[in-house]
Amino acid sequence: MSARIYLLGAGAFAVGTSAYVVSGVLPDVSSELHVSLTAAGQLATAFSLAYAIGAPILATLTGRWERRTLLIAALVLAALGNLIAAVATNYPVLMVGRVVAALGAAAYTPAATLFATGLLSPEERGRAVAVVFGGLTFALVLGVPAGSLLGPTLGYKGVFALIAAVGVLVALVERTALPKVPAPPVVALRERFAGLADRRVQIVLAMSVLGVLGAFSVYIYIVPLLKETAGLTGNVTGILLLVYGVGAVVGNLLGGRATDRFGSIRTLIVLLIGIILAVSTLDLTARSVVGAAIALFVWGMFTWAFNPPIQNLLLELGGGLLIALNASAIYLGAGLSAVVGGLVIQVAGLRYLPPLAAVLSLIVLALTLTLRRDPALEDIEELEHVEEDAVVVSPSR
């Protein structure tokens, strides 16, 4: 696979770290700016919602831009947002920085995904998507622990400054290493939303929202959940988060390969069954360090294998125009997760978060099964398998 694909993944890592790192510095933000932890947590919600709203709008506004230029500009914008956060002396300015960083991420990730799929053959499309989302996965692996570990030394301002520097560095490398790619045909904002008229697209986007909502409603509260179920705190929790992240990296890569080999719908059915089993038993399995490590690895693996088949399914249904909408769906689910998870905790308690995630994943599985009965989609997936098998046995490859 071309090294350029991994460079695009590095850009996704740069913009993704900016999204996740805030969870690790919330106590510092709360203390230094004299705001509550709840208010500090809204920085993550603001990022997610700005991303969700901004992705399709920015895709339209930058539709005439040469693709490499767009990627570099998006990275610079994200870096600028993190720089604003690094120099912020009050909560409103910090919030502005988070929104600016989110807009840069919203412009970058969908464009990088399409750029990556354009560099490879159709039978490798799932793996190309997996590499770009692998950058986001590594951001999850390193972002929260980095915030927790570097925050006491650098302060939250130093952490945001470091992320800004990484974004600028990746932009400089992409400027040198990536080829120029002309802009695709211009698409109006109304046309970008035209795909929503397709019932199947509505179902897939709903699957993204509900899937992310279920996963993150547990993940963002995993530290207090582990404390309640197993009495785990401190460095042990940090190591367990790293284990989850390693599972996420493995799952993301396997999800891309499985999508290319078996098709989107078959892959999703298996993954969702795994997610349901892993998360519904989390309260029982995460009662010791070893049990929690195994449970978090397996849960992270199945959860982060979910993105490649979803993205590929949307490409099958409507091409690249739907990728920006799916990016919005992902971050809408992430933005809602803190709110929904908080409500569940207030009403029922921490231990009810995994069952909530299991129910949401069960709904996503039901939606996937409705798509499986769609003859047109089944024909597309069967055709892709035939083409891939032909490529595998061809002596010319």
Side-chain angles (χ1 to χ4, degrees):
M1 190 177 292
S2 170
R4 292 168 175 171
I5 304 295
Y6 292 97
L7 182 55
L8 293 167
F13 169 79
V15 299
T17 302
S18 141
Y20 297 126
V21 76
V22 69
S23 298
V25 297
L26 286 185
D28 292 340
V29 172
S30 174
S31 175
E32 187 164 335
L33 297 184
H34 306 292
V35 297
S36 67
L37 278 174
T38 301
Q42 296 309 311
L43 294 170
T45 301
F47 187 103
S48 297
L49 295 181
Y51 189 115
I53 296 170
I57 296 174
L58 288 171
T60 301
L61 294 177
T62 59
R64 297 180 184 274
W65 292 24
E66 185 269 320
R67 297 293 94 180
R68 186 182 69 179
T69 300
L70 171 58
L71 293 176
I72 294 168
L75 285 169
V76 171
L77 182 62
L80 175 62
N82 285 298
L83 184 60
I84 293 172
V87 301
T89 57
N90 57 61
Y91 183 79
V93 174
L94 181 55
M95 181 68 78
V96 170
R98 295 294 294 161
V99 170
V100 172
L103 294 177
Y108 182 87
T109 307
T113 301
L114 293 177
F115 200 110
T117 58
L119 292 177
L120 297 178
S121 57
E123 63 271 13
E124 296 179 300
R125 189 168 58 188
R127 274 166 280 184
V129 172
V131 170
V132 175
F133 270 84
L136 296 177
T137 311
F138 274 110
L140 174 67
V141 173
L142 298 178
V144 176
S148 300
L149 295 174
L150 297 178
T153 303
L154 302 178
Y156 79 84
K157 293 183 178 181
V159 172
F160 282 123
L162 181 60
I163 297 171
V166 171
V168 171
L169 177 62
V170 175
L172 291 174
V173 176
E174 288 194 358
R175 173 68 178 79
T176 303
L178 293 181
K180 286 189 174 183
V181 175
V186 177
V187 179
L189 185 61
R190 182 175 181 179
E191 293 178 73
R192 290 189 180 276
F193 286 98
L196 291 175
D198 187 332
R199 180 188 62 86
R200 299 169 300 175
V201 172
Q202 295 171 11
I203 291 174
V204 177
L205 293 178
M207 288 163 59
S208 276
V209 173
L210 295 175
V212 173
L213 174 58
F216 274 81
S217 62
V218 177
Y219 181 75
I220 61 177
Y221 295 104
I222 194 65
V223 172
L225 184 62
L226 289 174
K227 182 178 180 180
E228 181 166 322
T229 58
L232 303 177
T233 58
N235 292 335
V236 174
T237 302
I239 294 172
L240 289 174
L241 288 174
L242 186 60
V243 170
Y244 173 90
V246 172
V249 172
V250 172
N252 184 71
L253 295 175
L254 292 179
R257 292 183 178 277
T259 299
D260 287 337
R261 180 66 184 90
F262 303 107
S264 302
I265 294 178
R266 292 182 181 89
T267 300
L268 282 169
I269 291 172
V270 173
L271 292 177
L272 287 163
I273 292 173
I275 291 171
I276 292 167
L277 293 175
V279 76
S280 63
T281 59
L282 195 59
D283 186 52
L284 298 175
T285 54
R287 294 192 174 185
S288 67
V289 175
V290 174
I294 296 172
L296 290 180
F297 179 88
V298 172
W299 178 44
M301 181 177 65
F302 279 113
T303 298
W304 282 81
F306 182 77
N307 280 317
I310 284 286
Q311 297 275 48
N312 193 64
L313 190 53
L314 287 169
L315 288 171
E316 292 170 354
L317 286 172
L321 292 180
L322 300 178
I323 296 299
L325 293 180
N326 189 54
S328 296
I330 290 171
Y331 276 86
L332 177 60
L336 292 173
S337 61
V339 178
V340 173
L343 288 174
V344 171
I345 292 172
Q346 289 180 358
V347 174
L350 274 168
R351 291 178 181 241
Y352 283 85
L353 290 176
L356 167 69
V359 170
L360 291 172
S361 298
L362 189 61
I363 295 172
V364 177
L365 177 59
L367 292 173
T368 305
L369 293 175
T370 66
L371 290 175
R372 191 181 187 184
R373 294 196 295 267
D374 187 290
L377 260 181
E378 191 67 23
D379 288 345
I380 292 174
E381 298 228 322
E382 289 298 335
L383 178 60
E384 287 190 344
H385 294 326
V386 170
E387 291 175 344
E388 183 180 352
D389 290 341
V391 169
V392 171
V393 300
S394 173
S396 65
R397 293 294 292 264

